[in-house]
Amino acid sequence: MLPAAAIDRVLSEVERSAEEAVAFTADLIRIPTVNPPGEHYEDCARFIGERLEKSGFVIELFAAEGRPEHTPAHPRINVVGTRPGRLPRPTVHLNGHFDVVPAGEGWTLDPFGGVVRDGKIYGRGSCDMKAGIAAAVFAVEAIRRAGVELPGTVEVSGTVDEESGGFAGVAWLAERGRISAARTDYCIIPEPLNVDRVCIGHRGVYWFEVAAFGRIAHGSMPFLGVSAIDGMARFLQAVQDELQPALDARRTDVPVVPPAARLATINVNGVFGGQPVEGIQTPCVADVCRAVFDRRFLLEEGFDATKQEIEKLLDDVRQRVPRVRYSLEDLMVVHPTRTPDDSPVISAIESGIARVLGRPATRVASPGTYDHKHVARIAGVPHCVAYGPGELEQAHQPDEYCRLDDLVNSTKVLALAVLELTGALA
Ligand SMILES: [Zn+2]
């Protein structure tokens, strides 16, 4: 049992290191790890690794050999730091992705400047999720500075490509057993879900392509052909009129935020058919039209029923439009995840939030997905949550920022959670 004075020392060390944590976040923002295409990954992995070495971690760099996106121009390099405790287990793994989405338009300050102003740090990735990486690093550093020796092991990783699916990052590490049930007991991902909320999972994703095939003919005599675009329009109409009302009536018990995302949803990512509109036009009936759909499904729906519903809708349209041939292809499937309600990792974060912020935590689930899926599905580690500084709504926005008091408070919560989960408080 750790004396209360030692816990207080850890929390004061977090406060004492606040400026260092902000400076570290700014330094991370100044490494423009933009994805796509995946720039400066190795610089960022080494920079995080050097900071962790100063905190007593043994560092390993992992190049995502075998992944097609790991190229000489844009190598995919992950860093994992390990600080063994008195015992190898339990092991708590803190994982953050260091890739960021492109800056985009609309910024009023340098997206890669790491500007600190009015109690906030600005920049692409400030909130999603370089402040989160800083929180993980300085949580474990505060424990070291307070002179607390952990009974269990703590690991901190910085990984690539979360924004594009995480296949060369957390999925790669999980496939090779570096994050796995055989060695990892608990995983915390400091994604920006708000400083008083703990995220217990996400909805499922089903991306699919529907193609409509017609018959080419002269555009002055369209009655001699079959328009694939008209065929696609019939399917899109069915999605709007028949599928959408059914989806609007389904609501999950998982606490997905924002509230509108508790429903099943569908979005059309893109439609392409006929001739490119910017090219020289010729009089032709379109013989092919393709559309890509993004269906977010609920834990209660499951993937099989979700796909069968699309197949049934497409079959109905085939009956009504017999001259058009339709095909369906799966592009990506991510199953929903939900951390068990009684998981120690949830209660560790919740008690940390209550202690640091003096108010109860809220359990939420993400409207999108993040690397949690690889931890749960590939690594087989059920005890995983997302918790970190920054507001979800700031992610991917112009003038993205993270509040400095969020950074300090979430660092404290993470430090308390590491103490509890490694057994230091037992
Ligand atoms: Zn993120």
Side-chain angles (χ1 to χ4, degrees):
M1 179 78 189
L2 203 60
I7 299 172
D8 289 341
R9 274 206 313 279
V10 171
L11 297 178
S12 342
E13 288 298 344
V14 172
E15 266 172 31
R16 250 198 290 282
S17 63
E19 275 183 28
E20 279 177 83
V22 172
F24 181 70
T25 308
D27 286 340
L28 288 175
I29 291 167
R30 291 180 194 123
I31 306 173
T33 44
V34 175
N35 178 29
E39 285 166 349
H40 304 289
Y41 280 176
E42 183 160 4
D43 297 341
C44 198
R46 287 187 186 279
F47 183 73
I48 294 167
E50 281 161 21
R51 184 66 199 75
L52 286 170
E53 268 179 341
K54 290 183 204 154
S55 299
F57 283 76
V58 178
I59 300 306
E60 297 165 277
L61 291 177
F62 293 96
E65 302 293 348
R67 287 295 312 175
E69 62 274 36
H70 172 62
T71 62
H74 297 107
R76 266 50 193 170
I77 311 289
N78 301 285
V79 60
V80 183
T82 306
R83 193 167 77 193
R86 290 198 300 273
L87 301 165
R89 305 290 285 267
T91 294
V92 180
H93 188 107
L94 307 176
N95 163 261
H97 71 85
F98 58 70
D99 60 316
V100 302
V101 296
E105 302 298 317
W107 288 76
T108 62
L109 35 74
D110 179 359
F112 300 106
V115 177
V116 177
R117 187 188 289 168
D118 303 329
K120 296 169 182 163
I121 181 161
Y122 289 86
R124 175 55 80 228
S126 56
C127 143
D128 184 11
M129 58 172 289
K130 287 175 168 174
I133 293 174
V137 167
F138 281 88
V140 295
E141 173 65 358
I143 292 170
R144 188 187 70 86
R145 288 181 187 178
V148 174
E149 199 198 331
L150 294 174
T153 297
V154 59
E155 297 183 334
V156 179
S157 61
T159 51
V160 303
D161 285 356
E162 187 276 343
E163 299 291 359
S164 51
F167 302 106
V170 172
W172 193 94
L173 292 172
E175 279 160 3
R176 279 149 190 84
R178 187 59 187 79
I179 302 173
S180 72
R183 62 185 299 161
T184 315
D185 296 284
Y186 307 109
C187 184
I188 303 171
I189 304 176
E191 286 271 10
L193 270 300
N194 297 24
V195 70
D196 57 355
R197 304 197 298 192
V198 54
C199 179
I200 60 166
H202 53 71
R203 296 186 296 175
V205 185
Y206 175 36
W207 281 16
F208 60 92
E209 180 189 294
V210 170
F213 301 94
R215 203 165 73 79
I216 195 166
H218 200 287
S220 66
M221 295 171 285
F223 43 82
L224 296 181
V226 177
S227 169
I229 294 175
D230 290 350
M232 183 60 74
R234 297 290 293 272
F235 180 69
L236 291 170
Q237 195 69 50
V239 168
Q240 278 300 308
D241 294 348
E242 295 157 51
L243 181 61
Q244 188 69 55
L247 301 187
D248 289 344
R250 286 179 210 154
R251 187 179 160 84
T252 180
D253 283 335
V254 182
V256 182
V257 289
R262 288 186 75 160
L263 306 181
T265 58
I266 189 164
N267 178 58
V268 189
N269 284 7
V271 181
F272 178 74
Q275 306 171 46
V277 289
E278 69 274 15
I280 295 167
Q281 300 298 307
T282 55
C284 288
V285 172
D287 55 351
V288 184
C289 185
R290 297 173 193 278
V292 173
F293 297 82
D294 176 355
R295 170 82 163 82
R296 301 295 166 126
F297 61 98
L298 312 178
L299 191 69
E300 294 86 344
E301 292 181 292
F303 173 66
D304 291 344
T306 298
K307 179 169 178 176
Q308 281 161 19
E309 186 172 46
I310 299 297
E311 285 172 331
K312 165 85 170 56
L313 189 71
L314 196 54
D315 275 342
D316 292 347
V317 174
R318 283 187 182 113
Q319 302 290 321
R320 287 172 228 158
V321 194
R323 276 159 46 94
V324 173
R325 186 169 68 80
Y326 293 93
S327 69
L328 171 67
E329 189 190 344
D330 297 351
L331 300 182
M332 180 172 70
V333 179
V334 176
H335 295 275
T337 63
R338 181 175 191 170
T339 310
D341 280 337
D342 58 354
S343 173
V345 72
I346 299 179
S347 56
I349 295 288
E350 285 181 340
S351 55
I353 289 171
R355 177 171 183 141
V356 171
L357 298 170
R359 56 179 187 263
T362 306
R363 288 186 192 190
V364 298
S366 171
T369 79
Y370 55 101
D371 281 331
H372 191 153
K373 56 183 176 273
H374 302 311
V375 175
R377 298 271 172 186
I378 304 175
V381 177
H383 301 295
C384 176
V385 292
Y387 170 76
E391 295 156 28
L392 181 60
E393 294 75 15
Q394 280 294 317
H396 303 194
Q397 294 276 338
D399 289 351
E400 175 184 342
Y401 67 80
C402 178
R403 294 169 54 98
L404 303 185
D405 54 356
D406 274 10
L407 172 53
V408 172
N409 285 328
S410 68
T411 304
K412 289 181 181 174
V413 173
L414 288 173
L416 291 173
V418 168
L419 291 175
E420 179 166 335
L421 294 169
T422 54
L425 304 184

